[in-house]
């Protein structure tokens, strides 16, 4: 990271950013080139391993791309605020962000899908939800095992 003065290294602060953000952009590559998609997510952080959970339609460009090449890049950001000034060069933008790399893994086990969807809904809504077999059979669920990630804060 070029601007070390803006780097967030404390894991508790990184988790606060991840908890505050609600959309994660997933970058992938397929036969047609690079592709990025914004998605709602849930997450867990245990034993120094960040895992992000997503749900999707069962088919489409994203699903095909992830099945062909599971390597992804992730990005999320929040706390956006324009910083103004008297001159154009004094303007800036405040934000917090996370960028990382990982591997997408599809979840086929029904009970694991239910858990993943519950985590996702808890993060998005703050509420606990349960899912039955019929509900989880209608969607694709995948996780991203994040191999590395960094945080940045521009106050």
């Amino acid at each position: 990271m070029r601007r070390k003065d803006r780097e967030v290294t404390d894991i508790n602060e990184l988790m606060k950013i991840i908890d505050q953000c609600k959309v994660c952009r997933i970058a992938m590559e397929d036969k047609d080139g690079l592709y990025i998609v914004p998605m709602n997510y849930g997450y867990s952080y245990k034993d120094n391993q960040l895992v992000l959970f997503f749900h999707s339609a069962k088919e489409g460009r994203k699903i095909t791309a992830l099945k062909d090449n599971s390597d992804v890049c992730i990005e999320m950001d929040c706390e956006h605020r324009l910083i103004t000034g008297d001159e154009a060069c004094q303007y800036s933008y405040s934000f917090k962000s996370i960028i990382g790399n990982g591997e997408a893994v599809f979840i086929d086990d029904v009970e694991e899908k239910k858990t993943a969807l519950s985590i996702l809904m808890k993060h998005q809504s703050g509420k606990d939800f349960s899912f039955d077999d019929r509900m989880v059979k209608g969607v694709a669920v995948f996780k991203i095992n994040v191999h590395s990630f960094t945080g940045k804060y521009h106050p």
Side-chain angles (χ1 to χ4, degrees), residues 10-25:
D10 179 83
I11 192 62
N12 295 316
E13 292 302 314
L14 291 165
M15 289 299 104
K16 285 179 186 177
I17 296 170
I18 292 168
D19 194 54
Q20 187 176 5
C21 295
K22 300 299 180 194
V23 173
C24 178
R25 289 162 197 83

Side-chain angles (χ1 to χ4, degrees), residues 68-121:
D68 289 347
N69 180 359
S70 62
D71 293 330
V72 297
C73 180
I74 58 152
E75 188 278 342
M76 55 187 80
D77 52 79
C78 56
E79 283 197 23
H80 310 108
R81 184 179 56 82
L82 180 65
I83 300 168
T84 61
D86 294 328
E87 298 177 13
C89 292
Q90 293 173 331
Y91 274 67
S92 188
Y93 209 73
S94 174
F95 65 90
K96 291 181 179 179
S97 67
I98 299 288
I99 295 177
N101 294 289
E103 177 185 18
V105 177
F106 285 90
I107 301 172
D108 296 319
D109 179 76
V110 172
E111 294 306 313
E112 190 177 354
K113 283 175 88 170
K114 289 177 184 179
T115 300
L117 291 170
S118 294
I119 291 169
L120 190 157
M121 288 304 298

Side-chain angles (χ1 to χ4, degrees), residues 49-50 74 98-102 145-150:
Q49 176 63 60
L50 176 61
I74 58 152
I98 299 288
I99 295 177
N101 294 289
N145 295 318
V146 179
H147 301 314
S148 63
F149 65 99
T150 59

Side-chain angles (χ1 to χ4, degrees), residues 17-18 21 28 81 93 104 109 123 127 132 136 152 154:
I17 296 170
I18 292 168
C21 295
M28 60 201 88
R81 184 179 56 82
Y93 209 73
D109 179 76
H123 177 65
K127 298 178 183 178
D132 61 32
V136 299
K152 189 173 182 179
H154 180 223

Side-chain angles (χ1 to χ4, degrees), residues 26-37 39 56-70 72 106 142:
I26 305 170
M28 60 201 88
E29 187 170 13
D30 67 6
K31 61 181 176 47
D32 295 324
L34 298 174
Y35 183 59
I36 188 168
V37 61
M39 297 188 72
S56 171
K58 289 185 166 187
E59 56 185 44
R61 183 177 179 186
K62 171 181 67 244
I63 298 299
T64 301
L66 292 174
K67 286 184 177 180
D68 289 347
N69 180 359
S70 62
V72 297
F106 285 90
F142 65 95

